[in-house]
Amino acid sequence: TDERIAQFHNRHLPLVLIHKTPLPDLSIPFVTVENKAASRKLVDHLITVHGCGRIILMRGPSRQEDSYWREVGYKAALADHGLPFDEALVLQGSFEREKAYNALKTFLADPNHPEFDAVFAGDDDAAIGIYDALREAGLRIPQDVAVVGFDDSRMAPFLTPPLTTVRAPTEEVGRSAAQHLFRLLEGQMPELATVHATEMIIRHSCGCHDQPD
């Protein structure tokens, strides 16, 4: 919690945050990845290249900043194309395979569910659950429903079909955080904000042909 982080800071403990920004009055270094622009680009790809206009957002954990900024990017892409944001197309997946699977399965079980043509999974683990739920409902990826993820986890290229996603440099985030921590231990103050770039990886789940990584 922010309160606990403030307690550590006030005790002058060396502290670096990962995927979380500190309260404005706390000078604590943090390391994260670019979420908003990457999500915006990913959803824009679904709209402009594949003609999708009814895109489910599998929302991540409510208190996680990555989840917040990915949703902001999703909404921005819709707004760019004059598409309305529809809360009925937002499901709670929590960046977890089972929760995403159950959320989409429940959604599909309603005979009056809103029409949709794509799913932004929020992260790759949730995408696996989405794959399972769509297949059980007899829906094909990407012929019937396009699916995209985020993180480019190790299994993403090996899913059937391979998952279009965003490559987030997780290892670099950990390395930067450790380097900042070493500087703090040496009595130096590292830069406060480190934001690593992300990259859209096009595979087949969105409807594109596979491209080499």
Side-chain angles (χ1 to χ4, degrees), residues 77-89:
L78 295 181
D80 289 342
H81 296 277
L83 297 174
F85 171 71
D86 187 351
E87 190 70 41
L89 291 177

Side-chain angles (χ1 to χ4, degrees), residues 14-173:
L15 181 65
V16 179
L17 302 180
I18 293 178
H19 297 297
K20 180 176 175 62
T21 53
L23 293 172
D25 57 338
L26 299 180
S27 296
I28 300 174
F30 68 92
V31 184
T32 189
V33 300
E34 210 308 301
N35 285 289
K36 178 183 174 181
S39 298
R40 189 175 191 169
K41 186 176 181 180
L42 193 63
V43 176
D44 178 81
H45 177 81
L46 290 173
I47 296 169
T48 59
V49 177
H50 301 291
C52 299
R54 300 284 294 169
I55 304 169
I56 287 178
L57 169 67
M58 195 60 69
R59 182 177 276 160
S62 60
R63 294 180 176 269
Q64 191 177 111
E65 287 188 22
D66 285 348
S67 173
Y68 170 79
W69 286 113
R70 291 173 196 180
E71 182 168 339
V72 169
Y74 164 87
K75 291 178 178 177
L78 295 181
D80 289 342
H81 296 277
L83 297 174
F85 171 71
D86 187 351
E87 190 70 41
L89 291 177
V90 178
L91 307 180
Q92 185 62 50
S94 299
F95 292 172
E96 294 181 25
R97 174 180 181 174
E98 185 173 354
K99 288 186 177 180
Y101 166 79
N102 288 329
L104 186 55
K105 185 175 181 179
T106 300
F107 174 88
L108 293 171
D110 180 357
N112 299 313
H113 69 72
E115 293 185 3
F116 70 105
D117 48 24
V119 181
F120 175 28
D123 88 329
D124 292 355
D125 195 47
I128 298 175
I130 289 164
Y131 272 45
D132 291 342
L134 289 174
R135 285 185 178 129
E136 287 182 11
L139 296 170
R140 301 167 300 165
I141 307 167
Q143 294 91 337
D144 300 321
V145 180
V147 179
V148 295
F150 202 110
D151 288 333
D152 196 29
S153 57
R154 291 182 178 180
M155 77 283 192
F158 303 104
L159 296 177
T160 305
L163 180 65
T164 292
T165 185
V166 171
R167 180 169 293 162
T170 305
E171 184 175 330
E172 289 301 317
V173 169

